[in-house]
Amino acid sequence: MTITRHEQNKVFSKVVEANGFVITSGITADDNSLDVQGQTKQTLDEIDRLLALCGTDKSKAVSAMIWVTDIRHRDAMNEVWFEWTGGQNMPVRACVEAALADPKLLVEIQVTATK
């Protein structure tokens, strides 16, 4: 099995390809001054970029893990999520409340897709 790691730093790879799967790290927005919808959009745009880098796209997503700092942000985040998915090819998903590394971050999303 070949494993390809992309955009590595000292702590993690942003995305890894292995055995026909593409797994992103937990992705967050670059601009943490945005509201939860703005951060979700930026995060999903970055996930689109990473999936494309590996030759796949969101239509092949099989799993998503979403962390929000306040579960009351879930509905606002879901509005952007539904725009992103178009209500099609929905992966399995969990959404939980959690403290994130930077208190200004409101959402973090990790996606696993097939090639």
Side-chain angles (χ1 to χ4, degrees), residues 57-63 81 84-92:
D57 61 56
K58 64 188 169 196
S59 73
K60 295 182 178 148
V62 295
S63 176
W81 175 263
W84 185 68
T85 64
Q88 298 180 351
N89 305 309
M90 303 300 279
V92 297

Side-chain angles (χ1 to χ4, degrees), residues 36-37 40 68-78 106:
V36 71
Q37 288 187 317
T40 301
V68 291
T69 56
D70 185 332
I71 202 67
R72 292 173 292 185
H73 292 313
R74 185 173 181 260
D75 289 341
M77 178 277 302
N78 272 336
L106 304 174

Side-chain angles (χ1 to χ4, degrees), residues 31-49:
D31 184 353
N32 61 14
S33 70
L34 298 170
D35 66 9
V36 71
Q37 288 187 317
Q39 287 190 27
T40 301
K41 169 116 176 55
Q42 239 185 30
T43 298
L44 292 171
D45 287 348
E46 177 65 358
I47 289 170
D48 280 336
R49 184 187 75 78

Side-chain angles (χ1 to χ4, degrees), residues 3-16:
I3 298 173
T4 306
R5 294 169 175 85
H6 299 276
E7 301 185 18
Q8 295 182 69
N9 61 37
K10 291 180 182 181
V11 179
F12 64 93
S13 298
K14 242 182 163 177
V15 64
V16 173

